[in-house]
Amino acid sequence: MTSPATVSADTVRTTAAVRDTVPSGGAAPPDSGLPEAAVTAPRVLARCRDLVRPSLVAAIGRLHPWTGEMAAFSLGWCEVGGTPADGSFEGKGVRQALAVLCAEAVEAPGESAVAGAVAVELIHTFSLLHDDIMDGDGTRRQRETVWKAYGTGPAVLAGDALFALAVQTLAETPGPHTAAAVGRLSETLSGLVRGQAEDLLFADRPWTGPEAVRPEEYRAMAELKTGTLLGCAAALGGLLGGAPARTVAALDRAGRHLGVAFQAVDDLLGIWGDPAVTGKPVHSDLRQQKKTYPVLAALAGDGLHSRELAVLLESPLALDDADAVRAAALVEACGGRTATLDEAGHHLDAARVCLRSVPLAPRASRQIEELLAFLLHRRM
C-alpha cells in the first residue's frame, strides 16, 4: 500500500501538470459571456489551494497509512489502493480559500492562516465522510464515496481520524491566538453536529400539516450545518491574522450567510444540476425525497400545483422517472426555484454587508466578493 505522504506528493505533481494544460479551475475564457467572477474566482481558489496544499499534505501524512489513504481518496488525491489521481476529483477548496483571503483582508500574510485553513478543510472532509454514510450517498464528485469504496466501518474511522487531526493541527500552531482559534473550532464542531441532527430529524417529519418542516427551520439548519464551518474559516483567517474582535465577528457572520447561500445553490443543483458537473443523476434529491429549500418553499403555497406536489411526495412508492420530472416541474411552477435563488441572493447580499461593515484590504476584499458571486453562479 502506498503511504499517504507518497500519494499526496505524487498527486501534487500530477495535478500541477494538469493545471498547466487546463485553465485554472476549468474557468471559461474571458469572452464566454459569464460573469467576470467565473474567470477570476477559480484562479483565486487555485492560488489559495497551492498555498495550503503543502501543509495539508503534511497533515495527512501524519495519519495511519490506511486512514491516510482514505483521506487522500476523499480529497481526490488518489484512487483506491493509493494510485495518484489526475486531480479531476478534487474539491474547490472554498473553506481554505476563505481562511487565506480573510487573513489577507486584515492585512496579514496568507501564510498566517494556513493552519486554520488546514483545520477547516480536514473538518469539512470529515463531515463529508460521515454525511455520505448517514445519507446513503454512494457517489460524490463523479465517483464512489469512501464508505462505498472502503466500507462503512473504515470510512467512520477515517472521519474520526480527520476530526482529531484537525484539532491537533490547530492546537499545535504557535502564536498568541492558538487558544482562541481552538475554542472557535470547537464551537463550530458543536454547531455542525446540531445542524446534522436537525437535518436527519427532518427526514422523519411529514411533507404537509402542522409538523411539516418550514422554510425558516430549514434556513436555521443550513446555517448550522453549512454556515458555521464557512463562518469559522473566515473568522480563523481574521483571528490568526491578528484582527480585532469586531472584525473577526463580522467575518464570521459573512461566512454564515455565505453558508446559507451555498446550501441554497446546492439544493438547486440537487434537482436541476447537470449530472456531468454534480456527479449525480438529474432530480437526485427528489428521487431520494430530501427535504430541500426549493421543495419546502413550493409546498408552502396553497395552490393546485402545491397540492399535486404533496400527493406525489407523500406516496409510499418511490418516484419513477416520470414522477421525478413532474415533481421538478411542479416545484418550479410553485415558485420553489425562484424562491431558492432569491434566498441565495439575499444571503450573499447580507454577506457583502458584513464584509463592508469593517475596514478590510481592498484587493482581498474584492477577491472575497468575487468568490461569493462565483458560488452563486455554479453551473446548473
Side-chain angles (χ1 to χ4, degrees), residues 231-257:
C232 179
L236 284 177
L239 178 61
L240 294 172
R246 177 172 174 268
T247 300
V248 173
L251 294 173
D252 178 76
R253 289 195 304 273
R256 287 170 181 267
H257 282 297

Side-chain angles (χ1 to χ4, degrees), residues 2 6-14 76-79 81-87:
T2 308
T6 303
V7 167
S8 303
D10 288 346
T11 303
V12 169
R13 290 191 288 272
T14 303
W77 294 351
C78 75
E79 306 292 351
T83 303
D86 63 6

Side-chain angles (χ1 to χ4, degrees), residues 160-230:
D160 292 344
L162 288 166
F163 182 112
L165 181 62
V167 177
Q168 182 182 9
T169 297
L170 200 54
E172 292 176 352
T173 303
H177 309 296
T178 300
V182 172
R184 183 168 290 273
L185 184 66
S186 299
E187 183 180 351
T188 297
L189 289 166
S190 296
L192 190 67
V193 171
R194 289 178 65 87
Q196 181 65 11
E198 290 296 324
D199 195 24
L200 290 175
L201 288 170
F202 286 172
D204 294 326
R205 290 171 61 177
W207 287 104
T208 59
E211 296 302 316
V213 180
R214 300 185 302 275
E216 57 269 25
E217 290 182 281
Y218 186 87
R219 182 183 302 120
M221 180 278 296
E223 181 178 342
L224 287 169
K225 183 178 176 180
T226 308
T228 50
L229 190 55
L230 284 162

Side-chain angles (χ1 to χ4, degrees), residues 106-351:
V106 300
E107 300 186 341
E111 289 81 1
S112 64
V114 164
V118 170
V120 295
E121 189 66 22
L122 294 173
I123 291 298
H124 176 54
T125 307
F126 138 74
S127 71
L128 295 182
L129 264 65
H130 284 196
D131 284 1
D132 287 339
I133 295 169
M134 287 183 271
D135 295 342
D137 287 339
T139 60
R140 179 176 292 278
R141 298 173 190 151
Q142 303 177 341
R143 65 172 180 169
E144 285 187 318
T145 50
V146 174
W147 74 271
K148 287 289 285 186
Y150 290 87
T152 301
V156 171
L157 182 64
D160 292 344
L162 288 166
F163 182 112
L165 181 62
V167 177
Q168 182 182 9
T169 297
L170 200 54
E172 292 176 352
T173 303
H177 309 296
T178 300
V182 172
R184 183 168 290 273
L185 184 66
S186 299
E187 183 180 351
T188 297
L189 289 166
S190 296
L192 190 67
V193 171
R194 289 178 65 87
Q196 181 65 11
E198 290 296 324
D199 195 24
L200 290 175
L201 288 170
F202 286 172
D204 294 326
R205 290 171 61 177
W207 287 104
T208 59
E211 296 302 316
V213 180
R214 300 185 302 275
E216 57 269 25
E217 290 182 281
Y218 186 87
R219 182 183 302 120
M221 180 278 296
E223 181 178 342
L224 287 169
K225 183 178 176 180
T226 308
T228 50
L229 190 55
L230 284 162
C232 179
L236 284 177
L239 178 61
L240 294 172
R246 177 172 174 268
T247 300
V248 173
L251 294 173
D252 178 76
R253 289 195 304 273
R256 287 170 181 267
H257 282 297
L258 173 59
V260 178
F262 195 94
Q263 185 62 57
V265 175
D266 263 4
D267 290 349
L268 291 170
L269 292 171
I271 299 178
W272 294 285
D274 179 355
V277 177
T278 65
K280 297 181 179 181
V282 67
H283 307 144
S284 61
D285 281 0
L286 287 173
R287 294 172 190 275
Q288 296 180 51
Q289 296 198 325
K290 289 185 177 180
K291 291 183 174 71
T292 60
Y293 196 89
V295 181
L296 298 176
L299 290 172
D302 192 30
L304 290 174
H305 288 152
S306 293
R307 291 195 288 274
E308 183 183 349
L309 176 63
V311 169
L312 271 177
L313 295 172
E314 289 172 341
S315 170
L317 301 176
L319 297 184
D320 59 21
D321 290 348
D323 288 338
V325 170
R326 180 59 181 163
L330 289 169
V331 171
E332 185 152 15
C334 294
R337 184 170 184 162
T338 299
T340 307
L341 283 170
D342 289 345
E343 175 80 354
H346 166 74
H347 283 281
L348 287 180
D349 286 343

Side-chain angles (χ1 to χ4, degrees), residues 69 75 98 176 209 218 313 327:
E69 181 189 308
L75 287 162
L98 265 183
Y218 186 87
L313 295 172

